[in-house]
């Protein structure tokens, strides 16, 4: 009879799986990150020069390696020992140069290294970064991993991606008004999904208040706040998951290190708010806002402005931004709409002293468009596209902005595409870019927010922060959401649950 499995061996295997899954999730973003590196090589900064040197040395190493392979592959009577020796010596010298440049980047530009790195974070390193009442949860396929300061566990959830997508599609359907009416919320489905993907983990969360979630696949298109901890039959208030936990989304496990160790923390900036929205677009305003999949690629590095203009207009985003500005006590001239909402304007402004920066517009998904390798945000297209302004603020261009460590609001930039496929690439690429630019927290909307609800949510969130700055963004958002959900007129999650915090929630 076979003996029982060694628990310590099982833990080791589960920790290895935790790292392997991180590699699998980050590899799909390689093209976007490569493009980010290429664009950041432009300019005359110390970082740009070091990256160019590294890229040139890598190119030289590959050429030398190819020549050496060609040389030693020749018949013995045609090989040149002297040439082989020279090639080997040149390869060694180039390798040393690459090592030196890599070390220089790690020491002088650690945030850049974190941005383009695919190195997974071991469990023990995650535990060191977590605080007392925090937990991190990683999802992939039908498995989940939960990490706290003192515990680690891998769980088989027993649900496949097709079943998961079906649950999420049903819940998301209730967030799409039909002829002006909001569909009923599927409470039973929300509770069933909770039992499958969260309840098995709750035994590890007895003392936890802050849960950081690294979603994958269909889970990227649903805020966990709408999950129900018990079945709601219509009596009393629903027991939403967000009543118990402050929830934060992370684009990757490794981003926790960037936020907790590498990021610069600063005090409040003198400028409360700057917003960009309602770009000049000519498409039907009744079409859905969110992650757009359109053939905008043109000539390698610029968007086709004619096709870009065909995206749906977003007139409601103007009022949405003005509401947020008023709730923060900002001047109305810090809201840039229509002809003022341009890529050139974003790049020209000094946003390094602005606490809250908001973009209310369409997003573009990396990898979904032939030839388009980066996620980005749509702004008012220029008459003629240039490299500085083609109407799309890409992840690499965002990474070169200088932002305050406060909050960036991406309104409706993480909505699922029309076929229900979630935009994990868009969120991950954009989030990493904003982190690199200096921001530590993003407030992302999963669907277009009714203006009055947006006003109440943001006002409530920032009021809580003003009264108690130590709350952190995710707890302040949680309190605002739960207060709004208690209002009979806003009890449907379409009103109170669209926003999630991505990044640093505390």
């Amino acid at each position: 009879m076979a003996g029982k499995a060694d628990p310590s061996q099982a833990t080791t295997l589960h920790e290895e799986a935790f790292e392997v899954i991180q590699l699998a999730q980050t590899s799909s973003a390689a093209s976007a990150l490569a493009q980010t590196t290429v664009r950041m090589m432009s300019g005359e900064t110390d970082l740009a020069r070091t990256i160019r040197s590294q890229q040139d040395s890598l190119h030289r190493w590959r050429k030398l390696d190819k020549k050496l392979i060609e040389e030693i592959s020749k018949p013995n009577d045609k090989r040149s020992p002297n040439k082989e020796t020279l090639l080997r010596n040149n390869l060694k010298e180039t390798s040393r140069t690459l090592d030196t440049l890599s070390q220089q980047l790690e020491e002088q530009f650690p945030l850049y290294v974190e941005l383009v790195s695919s190195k997974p974070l071991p469990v023990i390193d995650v535990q060191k970064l977590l605080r007392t009442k925090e937990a991190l949860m990683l999802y992939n396929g039908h498995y989940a991993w939960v990490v706290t300061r003192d515990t680690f566990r891998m769980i088989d959830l027993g649900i496949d991606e097709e079943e998961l997508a079906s649950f999420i599609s049903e819940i998301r359907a209730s967030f799409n008004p039909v002829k002006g009416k909001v569909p009923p919320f599927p409470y039973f489905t929300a509770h069933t999904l909770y039992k499958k993907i969260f309840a098995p983990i709750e035994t590890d969360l007895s003392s936890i208040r802050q849960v950081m979630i690294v979603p994958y696949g269909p889970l990227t298109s649903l805020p966990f706040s709408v999950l129900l901890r018990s079945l709601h039959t219509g009596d009393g208030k629903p027991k939403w998951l967000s009543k118990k936990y402050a929830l934060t989304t992370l684009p990757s496990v490794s981003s926790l290190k960037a936020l907790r160790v590498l990021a610069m923390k600063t005090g409040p900036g003198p400028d409360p708010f700057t917003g960009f929205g309602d770009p000049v677009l000519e498409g039907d305003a009744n079409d859905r806002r969110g992650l757009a999949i359109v053939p905008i690629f043109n000539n390698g590095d610029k968007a086709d402005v004619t096709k870009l203009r065909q995206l749906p207009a977003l007139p409601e985003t103007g009022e949405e931004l003005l509401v947020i500005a008023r709730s923060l006590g900002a001047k109305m001239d810090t809201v840039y709409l229509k002809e003022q909402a341009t890529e050139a304007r974003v790049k020209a402004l000094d946003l390094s002293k602005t606490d809250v920066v908001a973009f209310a517009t369409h997003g573009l998904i990396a990898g979904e468009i032939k030839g388009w390798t980066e996620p980005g945000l749509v702004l008012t297209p220029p008459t003629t596209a240039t490299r500085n302004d083609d109407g799309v603020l890409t992840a690499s261009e965002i990474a070169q902005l200088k932002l305050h460590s406060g909050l960036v609001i991406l309104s409706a930039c993480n909505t699922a595409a029309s076929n229900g496929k979630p935009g994990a690439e868009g969120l991950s690429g954009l989030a990493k870019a904003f982190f690199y630019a200096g921001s530590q927290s993003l407030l992302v909307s999963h669907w277009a927010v009714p203006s009055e609800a947006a006003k109440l949510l943001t006002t409530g969130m920032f009021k809580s922060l003003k009264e108690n700055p130590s709350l952190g963004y995710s707890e302040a958002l949680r309190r605002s959401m739960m207060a709004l959900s208690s209002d009979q007129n806003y009890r449907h999650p379409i009103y109170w649950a669209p926003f999630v915090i991505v990044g640093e929630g505390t």
Side-chain angles (χ1 to χ4, degrees):
M1 184 174 66
K4 293 184 178 180
D6 184 350
S8 62
Q9 185 178 21
T11 299
T12 299
L13 292 173
H14 292 173
E15 289 177 348
E16 290 176 357
F18 181 75
E19 295 184 38
V20 169
I21 289 302
Q22 291 179 61
L23 282 172
Q25 291 185 357
T26 55
S27 63
S28 60
S31 60
L33 292 176
Q35 183 71 5
T36 299
T37 299
V38 169
R39 294 204 180 190
M40 291 180 72
M41 285 167 61
S42 63
E44 289 304 321
T45 64
D46 289 342
L47 172 60
R49 284 189 285 269
T50 306
I51 296 173
R52 286 200 296 268
S53 296
Q54 185 190 50
Q55 295 292 313
D56 290 345
S57 295
L58 182 60
H59 181 65
R60 173 175 167 76
W61 188 93
R62 287 170 176 165
K63 287 181 66 175
L64 289 168
D65 185 60
K66 183 180 178 180
K67 287 182 178 180
L68 179 59
I69 292 173
E70 289 174 351
E71 190 63 32
I72 62 178
S73 298
K74 292 178 180 179
N76 288 335
D77 59 338
K78 293 185 178 181
R79 288 174 60 174
S80 169
N82 291 336
K83 190 174 183 180
E84 287 181 25
T85 299
L86 180 63
L87 286 169
R88 291 183 193 277
N89 289 338
N90 286 339
L91 262 176
K92 288 180 181 178
E93 181 62 31
T94 306
S95 294
R96 283 194 289 268
T97 300
L98 276 170
D99 290 341
T100 300
L101 289 168
S102 296
Q103 184 176 351
Q104 184 177 339
L105 283 170
E106 289 180 3
E107 292 175 353
Q108 298 180 15
F109 310 102
L111 271 177
Y112 166 77
V113 175
E114 183 64 31
L115 176 71
V116 299
S117 174
S118 61
K119 187 177 180 180
L121 206 58
V123 171
I124 189 170
D125 288 354
V126 174
Q127 290 177 320
K128 291 176 182 177
L129 293 170
L130 292 173
R131 299 176 181 126
T132 305
K133 294 185 178 181
E134 292 180 335
L136 180 140
M137 291 164 54
L138 169 66
Y139 286 91
N140 189 283
H142 55 87
Y143 290 100
W145 291 258
V146 58
V147 188
T148 70
R149 281 179 66 93
D150 305 311
T151 64
F152 166 75
R153 192 160 66 99
M154 175 177 169
I155 305 106
D156 186 346
L157 301 174
I159 183 172
D160 59 39
E161 190 164 321
E162 186 176 346
E163 184 183 11
L164 187 62
S166 177
F167 282 127
I168 292 173
S169 294
E170 184 180 346
I171 294 173
R172 283 196 61 93
S174 72
F175 305 141
N176 297 319
V178 180
K179 296 181 179 179
K181 293 185 177 180
V182 178
F185 183 76
Y187 293 102
F188 180 81
T189 303
H191 177 56
T192 303
L193 186 57
Y194 160 80
K195 289 194 296 183
K196 288 182 174 290
I197 69 170
F198 204 93
I201 299 166
E202 279 211 275
T203 55
D204 300 273
L205 307 178
S206 58
S207 61
I208 299 300
R209 291 293 299 157
Q210 174 95 17
V211 179
M212 291 173 280
I213 298 166
V214 183
Y216 189 71
L219 287 175
T220 61
S221 62
L222 187 77
F224 276 49
S225 56
V226 302
L227 299 181
L228 275 169
R229 299 184 68 243
S230 64
L231 185 61
H232 181 62
T233 58
D235 298 326
K237 296 180 180 179
K239 292 185 178 180
W240 302 110
L241 188 64
S242 48
K243 284 185 72 71
K244 185 172 183 180
Y245 305 104
L247 304 167
T248 305
T249 299
L250 289 178
S252 64
V253 175
S254 63
S255 61
L256 181 63
K257 180 181 178 181
L259 293 166
R260 294 277 164 95
V261 178
L262 302 175
M264 295 293 291
K265 296 175 175 59
T266 58
D271 304 324
F273 180 76
T274 300
F276 307 90
D278 192 11
V280 178
L281 303 171
E282 300 169 358
D284 186 351
N286 292 319
D287 285 354
R288 291 182 64 187
R289 169 162 53 128
L291 286 168
I293 304 176
V294 292
I296 65 165
F297 168 71
N298 184 35
N299 296 330
D301 60 354
K302 294 190 292 292
D304 185 325
V305 294
T306 301
K307 293 177 180 178
L308 201 62
R309 290 192 193 98
Q310 297 171 10
L311 287 170
L314 303 168
E316 79 282 1
T317 62
E319 177 59 25
E320 185 177 322
L321 290 173
L322 291 170
V323 164
I324 296 173
R326 284 192 289 268
S327 73
L328 290 172
K331 296 178 181 179
M332 294 302 101
D333 61 4
T334 62
V335 178
Y336 299 91
L337 306 176
K338 297 188 178 298
E339 290 82 3
Q340 291 186 314
T342 65
E343 185 181 353
R345 172 84 63 176
V346 175
K347 294 176 179 178
L349 289 172
D350 180 5
L351 299 174
S352 64
K353 300 175 183 177
T354 304
D355 276 338
V356 180
V357 178
F359 295 88
T361 183
H362 296 289
L364 297 176
I365 313 173
E368 293 283 358
I369 307 162
K370 185 178 180 180
W372 190 261
T373 58
E374 286 192 274
L377 301 172
V378 174
L379 294 162
T380 295
T383 302
T384 303
T386 65
R387 291 201 66 178
N388 184 59
D389 186 356
D390 61 357
V392 179
L393 187 67
T394 62
S396 60
E397 291 170 321
I398 290 167
Q400 294 177 75
L401 299 175
K402 293 183 179 179
L403 300 177
H404 188 264
S405 63
L407 182 70
V408 170
I409 299 175
L410 301 181
S411 183
C413 287
N414 191 30
T415 301
S418 58
N419 64 358
K421 188 175 181 179
E425 283 301 309
L427 174 61
S428 179
L430 288 174
K432 278 197 168 187
F434 277 111
F435 294 161
Y436 184 81
S439 176
Q440 291 183 263
S441 306
L442 277 66
L443 183 65
V444 175
S445 170
H446 278 273
W447 53 83
V449 189
S451 292
E452 188 61 23
K455 172 185 175 182
L456 293 170
L457 279 171
T458 54
T459 301
M461 176 181 170
F462 293 117
K463 182 181 178 182
S464 293
L465 281 171
K466 187 174 182 180
E467 293 172 351
N468 186 356
S470 65
L471 283 180
Y473 289 125
S474 57
E475 175 60 21
L477 176 63
R478 186 195 72 80
R479 294 186 183 193
S480 183
M481 290 194 304
M482 291 300 93
L484 192 60
S485 71
S486 298
D487 187 319
Q488 186 64 27
N489 295 320
Y490 297 101
R491 62 182 300 181
H492 193 293
I494 191 175
Y495 300 111
W496 61 261
F499 289 115
V500 295
I501 295 291
V502 178
E504 182 59 85
T506 57

